[in-house]
Amino acid sequence: MKKLLAIFSIIFFFMIINAEVCWENGVPLYEGNFIYSEKSIVNSIENIYITWVELDNGYRKLKLQKTDFAGEPIWTDPVTIDQNLQFMLETDIVESDNNGCFINAHYQSRSNQKLYKIDSNGNLLWQYSHNSYYIINLLPLENGGILLSEIDDHDNNNVYYLKCIYISESGEVHWDNDQLFIFQSLNRQKILEQQYVDGYFYFLLSEDENCFVIKVSEAGELISQSDSFSIGSYTTTNFINNSFFVFYINYDTSDLEMHNFDLSGTSLLSVDPKIICNTYNWKADEFLFSDDYFYSIVTNSDENLVFHKCNFQGEILNTFAHNDEIYYYILQVYDQNVDFISCVKYHPTLDSYLLRLNENGISEPIHYLPDNSNHFWGGKYFLEENFSFAGAGLISGESAIYTMRKTENNTEVYTVRDIENEIISPKIKKNDTDLTALWPSYERNSIMIQEYNENGIPQYQTNGDVLIEGYQKYFVVEDKIITIGDTLTNSDVTMNCYNFNGEHLWSDQFAGVYNDYYVFPFYDDYIFIFKETIQEPVTQHIIKFITFDENGLLWPESITLEMTEPLTFGNIMMKGNILFFQSYHTVYRVLINSNGTYTEPQILANNSDMINLYGNEDKFFAITKDGVTSMRKFHYFQDGVLMWDDAWEVYIGDYVDLKTIFEDDGFYLIGYNYPNSVNIDKFDYEHNIIEESSFDYTSQNPILASFDFYEQSGKFIFIFNSMLDNYDHQFSYMITDLIGNILLPEFAETIMQRDNIEFSNHTLFSDNCLYMPIACGYKPLEGNYERNFYIQKIDLSDYVSIDNKIISNTHTKLTCYPNPFNPETTIKFSLQNDFKVELTIYNIKGQKITTLINQRLKKGKHSHVWSGKDEVGKSVSSGVYFYKIKLDGKRESTKKCLLLK
């Protein structure tokens, strides 16, 4: 039976080893004000109101700014409407009487809301608290009051009600009816429209696949309910000329259909429903209304926009097409004479513009964003005969809440509030003196950098500096940064190389259009693998690959992996020179040679999905699953050869977040078993467990979410990420010897104390220290929405000797080419640190033939030619030979080669 680890073992008291958390509470990597969203409206005198919630000195503050019609701020500083230590989020803003506004906001656990009435000078007139979980519909009234409505499952009793509150101009509740209307079904209840006409409230409601109108008195009493009209999916409504228009797509026919009925629910159409057109299952939920016609906008299969101009009976009068491929569009109506929509063109670049509509058709694109702008999301208004905008955007690499004014000649921009709210994915790298963090900034369309000295002091400005502009996709090779991008023609892939000072070193490109790409170590260099989609003769994927090193591309062009039948590729992975890929539910493997030739793809597993590869180039597992059971199949490879005829089946629940170690006499599987038990099991290569080297550990935290693991100097280092009872997370670390005795217990020192700790990725182990980038601040169950990043350093110098250089679990890369060879082959290897290197040739009997290298070499890439001769210079005979490398007389790696004469 496996040995159970004792938390307070006797060894702990006599052998405890010191470690040190170096930077108190971590050093900042990225901290922001985290403005989550913004809302804007225009009042009757064409002033723009903008509201948002920001984080400021621990408080969440509800802010309001007022601008003129051009977007220039009127108030010197935004007005603070309210502040709170807990969650706060603006949900809606509407105009009130006297050119003021109403703002509604969520609080705390989203079950509490507040409605504010504010005058035109930003003064708070009154506030009203209401217990509402769902989104509130606001209907401002001409008398200065407002109606709040929502659909609520009253007391969670599976009965849904229309709930309404009528608040007077002075903030007093005129009436409150939480059961104004009772729905008969549990499905698809929705308030489609609400209007106040001639002293009555009218609600257009939907339930299941029907819609109907109810009439309510000013005193809150239900007066009548109309007959029901059948509707389908994607229901869109509009209220004009005191009548309701309802548009939807018929489930069975994919026809776009229309209802139009008056306030009593009587149809105004000669044919009801009226079929406008067939959508062929494409999008059709945007409509623009004028006084006597409307536009129905349909997206076709090519993501183009088709505009059907219709009369109020739903008859098509004319059709116009906009043939650009559109990625995203928002329809907005500004008045009954000037209508336009905002479009984002997908290819070749994201290109935002407007289309202006009138009775004669659509205009040419109106480009409104200034130079160096990537996108803009927000309200768009037609004011004083020109276009005005208010919302969040990215201009010249700066994210902010902006207002803009588009005139015939230019666009004028005003900054209302700066924003820092990115979610980053940092990678960290350690050199001799400094720690470097890199991450792609999607907001700035750049690669960012931050550096720290040995004391953890940032060397660049807050939230880092721009290192390389114009790229987001990158990877690090040796001490170089390689960026990936498309050319303007979108028919070539471009590689650019930079150093860590951001200086451009070289550029290369090759033919191809990638959907996804992957970069793997390949022999002593790297391979870039990418998927392309081709349409003819049938839609399929193809795989291409090309090699490179830190100096550029090594092949003149990419190689296409030829397949006998069309495939759709899923997961693509590589270890050594074996490429694994999945098509549908078949997993293949193919051997790629250093000159670009490759073997015929072989099936590794049928009716299976590829999970992952674990291990090093010499020894590793390819793991697949059948999608039916909880078992995973382990396929064992050694020196590129599949060693087990039958895959070994393992219950994956025993090894969640799996880690592996391969040794000469066996291998370790390390993973956690829900909720908090860690299994460290050693097996021989017949997959029999080795009991004396296997043990369990139960974490002191309730639920493990993930963990990192290192094996160093005959000791195991564990870094746990655990979930607490309140759904927060906590990090801890522990050190054991190889048989499970605790040398350093959990929580000997706290790693970090911050609110809402989340996760750590890309933990670095370098120079006897752990460096952990930790994200914290985001906790959606409580409505918190800031996310900050910090780096923590844990010094293990008392545990790992300074002279004991860290060697990665992945063995030193050792390859030769050509293989088979005649008369000579070049043996290549790379070192992660400076080492005393011994490179020796042996024959199949284990007899030493010659020593090629026996000296101290520096970190980096090395090569040596063996000409097929022994120590006295005599040529050896044909056959199998082994080349073995030793580092500082300890770590060994052995490969075989074949001499053919």
Side-chain angles (χ1 to χ4, degrees), residues 187-351:
N187 300 314
R188 300 181 61 190
Q189 301 89 359
K190 191 175 181 180
I191 302 172
L192 299 176
E193 288 280 350
Q194 57 183 11
Q195 298 292 331
Y196 180 75
V197 181
D198 296 334
Y200 294 96
F201 296 102
Y202 294 90
F203 296 87
L204 175 60
L205 306 176
S206 67
E207 182 177 20
D208 284 335
E209 296 183 4
N210 297 285
C211 69
F212 51 91
V213 177
I214 64 170
K215 182 178 180 181
V216 177
S217 72
E218 198 169 19
E221 298 172 346
L222 179 63
I223 295 178
S224 64
Q225 175 183 348
S226 74
D227 294 335
S228 294
F229 293 81
S230 177
I231 57 175
S233 58
Y234 304 109
T235 306
T236 304
T237 62
N238 194 73
F239 185 77
I240 189 171
N241 298 335
N242 280 347
S243 68
F244 295 99
F245 285 82
V246 181
F247 303 91
Y248 58 92
I249 296 177
N250 187 298
Y251 288 110
D252 299 325
T253 64
S254 76
D255 287 334
L256 175 61
E257 298 183 353
M258 179 184 90
H259 297 301
N260 178 215
F261 41 85
D262 62 18
L263 292 173
S264 66
T266 302
S267 177
L268 301 176
L269 299 177
S270 57
V271 177
D272 195 346
K274 172 63 178 179
I275 298 175
I276 297 176
C277 65
N278 192 287
T279 65
Y280 302 100
N281 292 317
W282 296 99
K283 186 177 178 181
D285 59 355
E286 304 282 5
F287 304 88
L288 278 169
F289 273 81
S290 152
D291 284 333
D292 53 7
Y293 68 87
F294 67 87
Y295 275 107
S296 167
I297 305 175
V298 179
T299 309
N300 64 18
S301 60
D302 295 323
E303 298 296 330
N304 303 138
L305 298 183
V306 177
F307 297 83
H308 295 303
K309 180 184 174 184
C310 305
N311 62 23
F312 282 1
Q313 288 293 311
E315 297 167 342
I316 296 177
L317 305 176
N318 209 338
T319 296
F320 307 94
H322 181 60
N323 293 322
D324 277 351
E325 184 177 351
I326 299 298
Y327 173 67
Y328 188 82
Y329 67 94
I330 304 173
L331 179 150
Q332 292 175 296
V333 179
Y334 305 90
D335 59 38
Q336 297 304 315
N337 298 310
V338 180
D339 306 328
F340 64 93
I341 65 171
S342 172
C343 301
V344 179
K345 185 178 175 183
Y346 187 67
H347 287 301
T349 59
L350 287 177
D351 184 15

Side-chain angles (χ1 to χ4, degrees), residues 32 95 131 137 236 240 307 342 425 595 610 663 712 742 774 805 889:
E95 184 183 9
N131 296 323
N137 297 271
T236 304
I240 189 171
F307 297 83
S342 172
S425 179
N595 63 355
M610 189 75 193
E663 297 182 341
Q712 179 61 36
I742 295 178
I774 298 176
K805 295 287 186 179

Side-chain angles (χ1 to χ4, degrees), residues 32-33 54-61 83-87 755 784 786:
N33 54 24
E54 66 181 54
L55 185 67
D56 182 16
N57 294 321
Y59 284 90
R60 291 167 178 83
K61 296 183 177 181
Q83 64 180 26
N84 197 307
L85 286 171
Q86 302 300 320
F87 169 74
D755 292 337
N784 299 336
E786 70 268 25

Side-chain angles (χ1 to χ4, degrees), residues 32 44 136 153 157 202 234 251 261 270 380 427 430 473 475 489 498 511 533 646 651 701 708 782 866 877:
S44 59
I136 297 297
D153 54 338
N157 60 0
Y202 294 90
Y234 304 109
Y251 288 110
F261 41 85
S270 57
K380 302 173 178 65
K427 295 181 180 178
K430 182 73 167 61
K473 301 172 183 177
F475 47 89
T489 62
Y498 301 83
T533 300
D646 297 317
Y651 174 59
N701 273 332
D708 280 328
E782 293 185 4
W866 181 43
S877 59

Side-chain angles (χ1 to χ4, degrees), residues 595-661:
N595 63 355
T597 60
Y598 54 86
T599 62
E600 185 74 20
Q602 295 178 281
I603 294 177
L604 179 67
N606 279 311
N607 300 317
S608 298
D609 295 330
M610 189 75 193
I611 299 298
N612 214 333
L613 304 175
Y614 296 90
N616 50 65
E617 294 180 358
D618 296 340
K619 299 176 180 179
F620 66 86
F621 290 124
I623 300 181
T624 61
K625 68 172 183 177
D626 59 14
V628 177
T629 69
S630 298
M631 306 300 287
R632 301 293 182 262
K633 291 188 176 182
F634 283 56
H635 309 264
Y636 172 51
F637 288 81
Q638 181 175 328
D639 294 325
V641 178
L642 181 61
M643 302 300 293
W644 294 341
D645 293 333
D646 297 317
W648 177 38
E649 289 196 334
V650 176
Y651 174 59
I652 197 60
D654 290 337
Y655 305 103
V656 178
D657 204 6
L658 176 68
K659 322 291 181 186
T660 60
I661 300 175

Side-chain angles (χ1 to χ4, degrees), residues 741-871:
N741 295 306
I742 295 178
L743 306 178
L744 184 67
E746 275 192 279
F747 302 109
E749 211 170 358
T750 301
I751 292 177
M752 183 179 288
Q753 287 185 319
R754 291 189 182 273
D755 292 337
N756 305 338
I757 289 177
E758 296 180 76
F759 61 86
S760 176
N761 55 17
H762 193 66
T763 299
L764 178 67
F765 194 0
S766 177
D767 294 339
N768 312 318
C769 295
L770 281 170
Y771 296 91
M772 300 176 61
I774 298 176
C776 58
Y778 184 71
K779 199 167 185 182
L781 292 180
E782 293 185 4
N784 299 336
Y785 50 81
E786 70 268 25
R787 179 177 273 145
N788 302 319
F789 291 81
Y790 306 90
I791 293 182
Q792 183 57 280
K793 175 183 178 182
I794 303 173
D795 189 351
L796 301 177
S797 296
D798 289 343
Y799 159 67
V800 179
S801 171
I802 294 294
D803 294 329
N804 189 351
K805 295 287 186 179
I806 293 174
I807 302 175
S808 170
N809 283 339
T810 59
H811 292 187
T812 299
K813 298 179 195 174
L814 185 64
T815 62
C816 72
Y817 183 80
N819 186 17
F821 70 95
N822 180 28
E824 62 183 30
T825 186
T826 300
I827 300 172
K828 294 182 178 182
F829 57 93
S830 60
L831 303 177
Q832 297 178 344
N833 291 287
D834 297 351
F835 288 108
K836 168 72 179 303
V837 176
E838 184 178 355
L839 180 63
T840 311
I841 305 294
Y842 294 86
N843 63 19
I844 198 169
K845 295 180 180 180
Q847 299 166 327
K848 184 169 74 172
I849 301 300
T850 185
T851 298
L852 302 180
I853 300 175
N854 189 12
Q855 67 184 87
R856 190 164 190 83
L857 298 179
K858 290 188 174 296
K859 171 185 175 181
K861 295 182 178 181
H862 301 271
S863 64
H864 194 94
V865 175
W866 181 43
S867 58
K869 296 179 181 181
D870 61 15
E871 285 187 330

